[in-house]
Amino acid sequence: MLTRLHSHRHALQILETVPEYRLLLDEINAAILSLTDEAIVNHFEQNFQGKPTKSLSKSLNDMLEKELVDMGWNPQSQIFGNSEYGTHTWRLDFAKQVVLSEQDQNGCPLQVPSGVSLEVAFNHQGNIAWNLLKPVIASEINHVEKALQTGVGIVVCATDSLKEAGGFDSAVGTYEQFVSNLLPLRNFLTVPVLIVGLEAPKSFRVGHQKIGTQTFGFIERI
């Protein structure tokens, strides 16, 4: 699946040049590359054809989760170690920890725990700011102990073209909207965040059929 990228606070440069982060970026890229047209069609038809499922969002979520979990990513990762904040509100979709090799001010080697947080955001556009802020909360020092310290955040979302071709609801937030929200939120988004927009498939689209009060999605070859 083709993508569009927008790098906030040099996120892409950091992900590509820090070796420990680069390994995680390569894993995310591999997961996205597994989303071929045929793989998506097969998953949708096997799991959601004939069911009141309007869009590709569930298939894309399921497929990405399988690939990432197989590579050791932690799904529904708690931001805070404190169980009081272990609810869904305070969770990252995926996270994976690394240890960075750095030096202190005297040149002595340091091993610094860090990680990458990943949000797969096919939800309502009203959640865009929250999806962008979660990596910041997972990174910045505050009064609650972290389960995993984030160094870079990544948000995977649908472009306008995928939203249309993939049968998504009109209220779903898109890559273009995520990017436009970065400027007014810039002073709050203090950590590097990479926005990854998934482009529309080339060989099919999702059509809709309404039966009674329910809407069903189906694959239309193009």
Side-chain angles (χ1 to χ4, degrees), residues 91-112:
R91 290 175 183 263
L92 303 162
D93 286 345
F94 301 95
K96 192 170 183 180
Q97 189 168 29
V98 293
V99 177
L100 305 181
S101 298
E102 299 182 356
Q103 293 182 340
D104 65 15
Q105 59 185 2
N106 297 316
C108 298
L110 289 176
Q111 299 294 299
V112 181

Side-chain angles (χ1 to χ4, degrees), residues 46-120:
Q46 289 173 15
N47 295 277
F48 302 114
Q49 192 91 335
K51 298 179 181 179
T53 301
K54 292 175 58 177
S55 77
L56 296 177
S57 62
K58 290 183 179 179
S59 281
L60 295 175
N61 267 312
D62 290 352
M63 295 170 73
L64 285 171
E65 180 172 2
K66 181 183 183 307
E67 292 294 323
L68 291 168
V69 169
D70 284 350
M71 290 185 282
W73 285 75
N74 184 22
Q76 293 301 303
S77 176
Q78 291 187 22
I79 295 177
F80 302 112
N82 191 325
S83 60
E84 179 184 352
Y85 299 96
T87 63
H88 182 73
T89 302
W90 301 103
R91 290 175 183 263
L92 303 162
D93 286 345
F94 301 95
K96 192 170 183 180
Q97 189 168 29
V98 293
V99 177
L100 305 181
S101 298
E102 299 182 356
Q103 293 182 340
D104 65 15
Q105 59 185 2
N106 297 316
C108 298
L110 289 176
Q111 299 294 299
V112 181
S114 186
V116 170
S117 67
L118 172 63
E119 293 296 302
V120 179

Side-chain angles (χ1 to χ4, degrees), residues 5 13 17 23 36 46 49 90 103-105 109 140 170 197:
L5 303 177
Q13 180 182 0
T17 56
L23 292 174
T36 64
Q46 289 173 15
Q49 192 91 335
W90 301 103
Q103 293 182 340
D104 65 15
Q105 59 185 2
E140 294 287 0
S170 61

Side-chain angles (χ1 to χ4, degrees), residues 38-49:
E38 286 306 312
I40 297 170
V41 168
N42 289 338
H43 189 281
F44 184 86
E45 290 183 338
Q46 289 173 15
N47 295 277
F48 302 114
Q49 192 91 335

Side-chain angles (χ1 to χ4, degrees), residues 5-30:
L5 303 177
H6 185 91
S7 182
H8 172 73
R9 295 192 184 276
H10 310 291
L12 184 59
Q13 180 182 0
I14 294 168
L15 288 165
E16 290 182 332
T17 56
V18 177
E20 295 86 355
Y21 288 151
R22 180 63 201 230
L23 292 174
L24 302 189
L25 178 63
D26 288 344
E27 290 178 352
I28 294 171
N29 286 334

Side-chain angles (χ1 to χ4, degrees), residues 14 34 36 94 120 123 136 154 175 179:
I14 294 168
S34 75
T36 64
F94 301 95
V120 179
N123 46 7
V136 179
I154 299 177
Y175 167 85
V179 171

Side-chain angles (χ1 to χ4, degrees), residues 70-211:
D70 284 350
M71 290 185 282
W73 285 75
N74 184 22
Q76 293 301 303
S77 176
Q78 291 187 22
I79 295 177
F80 302 112
N82 191 325
S83 60
E84 179 184 352
Y85 299 96
T87 63
H88 182 73
T89 302
W90 301 103
R91 290 175 183 263
L92 303 162
D93 286 345
F94 301 95
K96 192 170 183 180
Q97 189 168 29
V98 293
V99 177
L100 305 181
S101 298
E102 299 182 356
Q103 293 182 340
D104 65 15
Q105 59 185 2
N106 297 316
C108 298
L110 289 176
Q111 299 294 299
V112 181
S114 186
V116 170
S117 67
L118 172 63
E119 293 296 302
V120 179
F122 299 135
N123 46 7
H124 195 281
Q125 56 193 311
N127 292 318
I128 287 176
W130 178 238
N131 284 322
L132 289 171
L133 284 170
K134 278 202 283 184
V136 179
I137 296 170
S139 172
E140 294 287 0
I141 296 173
N142 55 41
H143 298 292
V144 185
E145 182 182 357
K146 301 290 176 53
L148 182 150
Q149 196 74 28
T150 288
V152 183
I154 299 177
V155 177
V156 175
C157 51
T159 59
D160 284 341
S161 65
L162 175 59
K163 178 177 175 177
E164 180 181 358
F168 287 76
D169 187 87
S170 61
V172 166
T174 63
Y175 167 85
E176 288 80 2
Q177 292 171 314
F178 271 92
V179 171
S180 71
N181 273 262
L182 292 173
L183 183 59
L185 290 172
R186 180 172 178 81
N187 288 343
F188 303 98
L189 302 178
T190 54
V191 303
V193 179
L194 179 66
I195 313 298
V196 181
L198 303 181
E199 294 280 28
K202 299 294 185 182
S203 62
F204 73 94
R205 60 181 292 113
V206 175
H208 290 150
Q209 181 181 16
K210 192 162 187 177
I211 302 175

